[in-house]
Amino acid sequence: MVGRGRPPPPPQVARDEGIRPRRRNMEDEENMYGKLKFNMPKFKGEDDAEAYLSWALKVDKIFRIHNYSGAKKVAMASLEFEDYANTWWEQVVTLREEKGDPPIDTWEDMKEEMQARFVPTHYKTDLFNKLQKLKQGTKTVEEFFKEMELTMMRANIQESENQTIARFFNGLNYPIKKIVEFQPYSNMVELVHQASKAERQVNEDIKYSKSKQYFASKLATSTPTTSVKPSASSTPSKQPSIQSRMKQTVSSTASSKASTGPSNVTCFKCGTQGHKSFECKNTNDKG
């Protein structure tokens, strides 16, 4: 016995009613995203794996918001090839036609073909080596974190957050690491924020130290210095030369001889000058 109420719709009607809302939503999304303006990026086929990976990432973002078919995606991407990339792609298409291979008609197959050509086999090994040696150095905390994160994504490294935290922490400069070590953080984003905060503190300390040294040097150069007169004991006495001493000796000897010469001698017996008393020849007494 069928219960009261409206009888269930036929299966075909139920399927149609279930499909129509989804189809309408897809059309609405297509109309909305179709109005977005975008420019497909150019690709020249540089000998640089990073250039290709950056280009593929940009094209991926465009294709994610447009419901294009695989063949249209391949056509749109290849239309933006320039220089070597354009010549290489035309050769790939021609060789596949000559061999009777099916054409590349999906974006995933196209990326696989381009990955094999423009990303060398040693690229991932180089990324692993770079990641092991990566340190902050002269980079800011934010630059260091972005480089580490991008390298990990390029190498497709899957590791726990604790391992990533340890990798980042050990690569920080020591003054920043010393401060962050005592700060609370529970995930990678909080650690980056704490490290950036510590970096600002370290930079402020450096500026303060430099300004302190500058003003100290300016103060030292502007303060007048008191001159101390040398004492008599500390002043070296000028000693006469040997020649001057010899001249003094000769002059003193000559003066002494001159003072005791015959013309200056007085006789005590006769009272006349010119001879001494024992040389006196005058026998007359004064008395």
Side-chain angles (χ1 to χ4, degrees):
M1 180 177 179
V2 180
R4 295 181 180 181
R6 183 181 178 183
Q12 183 63 37
V13 176
R15 287 196 296 270
D16 291 343
E17 289 180 352
I19 290 173
R20 283 171 187 168
R22 289 197 297 269
R23 183 175 299 168
R24 188 180 300 112
N25 292 337
M26 291 175 62
E27 292 175 355
D28 292 341
E29 290 180 1
E30 181 62 25
N31 291 333
M32 179 179 65
Y33 289 130
K35 295 178 181 179
L36 294 176
K37 295 182 179 180
F38 66 91
N39 294 320
M40 291 291 292
K42 305 290 185 181
F43 181 64
K44 297 182 178 181
E46 301 94 331
D47 186 17
D48 182 7
E50 298 290 342
Y52 161 71
L53 293 172
S54 297
W55 174 84
L57 183 62
K58 293 177 183 177
V59 177
D60 269 331
K61 291 176 65 177
I62 295 174
F63 288 162
R64 273 200 301 268
I65 60 176
H66 289 87
N67 190 24
Y68 298 142
S69 65
K72 186 174 182 179
K73 290 179 181 179
V74 172
M76 290 178 64
S78 61
L79 283 174
E80 303 306 323
F81 288 167
E82 294 181 342
D83 301 338
Y84 172 78
N86 186 42
T87 305
W88 168 80
W89 180 250
E90 291 301 320
Q91 185 181 24
V92 170
V93 173
T94 302
L95 289 176
R96 292 182 72 88
E97 290 177 352
E98 292 176 354
K99 293 179 181 179
D101 295 336
I104 298 174
D105 55 1
T106 66
W107 171 235
E108 287 71 23
D109 290 343
M110 185 179 190
K111 285 195 296 183
E112 184 177 349
E113 191 77 22
M114 297 182 72
Q115 178 96 8
R117 172 61 187 87
F118 297 106
V119 180
T121 55
H122 59 79
Y123 175 71
K124 186 169 286 190
T125 303
D126 293 343
L127 289 177
F128 286 132
N129 293 334
K130 177 183 177 180
L131 200 58
Q132 293 297 326
K133 301 175 183 178
L134 192 60
K135 300 293 182 183
Q136 180 184 354
T138 57
K139 297 181 287 292
T140 65
V141 168
E142 191 66 27
E143 290 172 345
F144 169 55
F145 172 66
K146 288 179 179 178
E147 183 176 2
M148 185 193 76
E149 192 176 32
L150 185 61
T151 304
M152 292 177 62
M153 288 189 292
R154 292 278 191 256
N156 195 24
I157 292 179
Q158 303 294 331
E159 64 181 11
S160 66
E161 188 175 32
N162 288 335
Q163 289 175 313
T164 307
I165 287 175
R167 185 191 302 277
F168 176 75
F169 180 80
N170 290 329
L172 291 171
N173 291 337
Y174 177 74
I176 299 175
K177 186 192 304 183
K178 184 173 62 174
I179 298 174
V180 173
E181 188 176 6
F182 299 99
Q183 303 302 317
Y185 57 87
S186 59
N187 53 54
M188 189 67 221
V189 175
E190 290 181 0
L191 173 58
V192 174
H193 292 168
Q194 292 288 8
S196 297
K197 183 179 177 181
E199 182 179 43
R200 290 194 296 270
Q201 181 178 340
V202 170
N203 291 336
E204 288 296 326
D205 291 342
I206 293 174
K207 290 180 182 178
Y208 174 75
S209 178
K210 288 183 178 179
S211 62
K212 186 177 179 181
Q213 293 177 1
Y214 171 77
F215 286 114
S217 62
K218 292 289 288 184
L219 183 63
T221 54
S222 61
T223 303
T225 56
T226 56
S227 59
V228 180
K229 294 183 179 181
S231 60
S233 59
S234 61
T235 304
S237 58
K238 295 182 179 180
Q239 299 293 336
S241 62
I242 297 175
Q243 294 179 353
S244 62
R245 289 201 299 269
M246 291 178 63
K247 289 180 180 179
Q248 292 176 358
T249 304
V250 171
S251 60
S252 60
T253 305
S255 60
S256 63
K257 286 184 178 180
S259 60
T260 56
S263 59
N264 296 328
V265 177
T266 302
C267 179
F268 293 106
K269 289 183 178 182
C270 61
T272 60
Q273 294 182 345
H275 63 274
K276 296 180 180 180
S277 58
F278 65 86
E279 295 176 342
C280 183
K281 298 180 180 179
N282 190 359
T283 57
N284 295 326
D285 295 329
K286 291 182 179 182

